Amino acid sequence: MAADLQTLFSVNRTMFPRNSSWTTMVASAQLTDLDDPVLVSQLANLYENLNVRLEYNGRLYDDWVTDVARSSVPASWDRVTSSLTISTRRDVNRFRSDLRGTRDLTGMFIGLLEAWAGELDVVIDEVDAHLGRRGGGA
C-alpha cells in the first residue's frame, strides 16, 4: 500500500492541451480558408469539446488527488511506519472509500487521456492528408 500511495502522489498525469492555433484561426476567420468542412468539424471537436473536457476533468482529478493526499492520507496513514493510524471501522471504511475513489478516478482519467490521444492522432493524420492534397506537404 505504501508503494501504491507513493506512486499515486508522485506521478502527475494532468495534461494541458494547447489551443492557441485554433483560437487564432477562429479569431481571424481562417477556418473557411481550409476549404474542408470535415476537417474543420474534426478540429472543432478536438478543440471545443475534447480539450475542454480534458482540462475540466484534469482539474477534478487534481483536486481529488490533492485533497486525499493532504487530508485523508495524513489523517489515516503513517508514511514512516507504513501503517494505518486509525482503528475504528468507520474511519477505516472512510479511508478505504477515499482510496477506492482515487483509484477509480485515476483509471477514468487515464482512459480519457488515451481516448484524447487517439482522437488527436486521427486529427493529425487528417491535417497531414489535407496538407498533402493542397501541396503543403506533411
Side-chain angles (χ1 to χ4, degrees):
M1 186 163 149
D4 289 338
L5 288 172
Q6 181 63 32
T7 299
L8 177 65
F9 300 125
S10 64
V11 177
N12 184 348
R13 294 179 174 91
T14 303
M15 298 289 294
F16 300 99
R18 297 180 179 153
N19 297 331
S20 60
S21 297
W22 172 254
T23 303
T24 300
M25 289 184 75
V26 170
S28 302
Q30 294 175 328
L31 293 176
T32 55
D33 294 344
L34 292 176
D35 196 31
D36 188 338
V38 173
L39 178 59
V40 170
S41 292
Q42 288 176 307
L43 290 168
N45 184 53
L46 178 70
Y47 288 108
E48 300 291 337
N49 297 320
L50 298 175
N51 283 5
V52 172
R53 181 176 174 218
L54 185 67
E55 289 173 343
Y56 174 79
N57 282 283
R59 282 189 299 275
L60 290 178
Y61 173 80
D62 287 348
D63 289 347
W64 179 284
V65 171
T66 299
D67 184 56
V68 169
R70 289 186 179 164
S71 301
S72 185
V73 172
S76 306
W77 182 257
D78 184 336
R79 290 186 182 193
V80 175
T81 63
S82 295
S83 62
L84 288 172
T85 59
I86 53 177
S87 58
T88 68
R89 178 176 287 229
R90 179 179 177 203
D91 289 342
V92 170
N93 285 341
R94 182 180 300 133
F95 184 52
R96 182 178 287 153
S97 177
D98 286 348
L99 295 179
R100 186 170 292 133
T102 303
R103 181 198 64 206
D104 294 346
L105 185 61
T106 300
M108 182 277 308
F109 190 63
I110 290 171
L112 181 62
L113 288 173
E114 290 169 345
W116 175 80
E119 290 292 328
L120 183 61
D121 287 342
V122 169
V123 171
I124 289 170
D125 290 344
E126 288 298 321
V127 168
D128 285 344
H130 176 78
L131 291 173
R133 289 189 299 272
R134 304 255 326 237

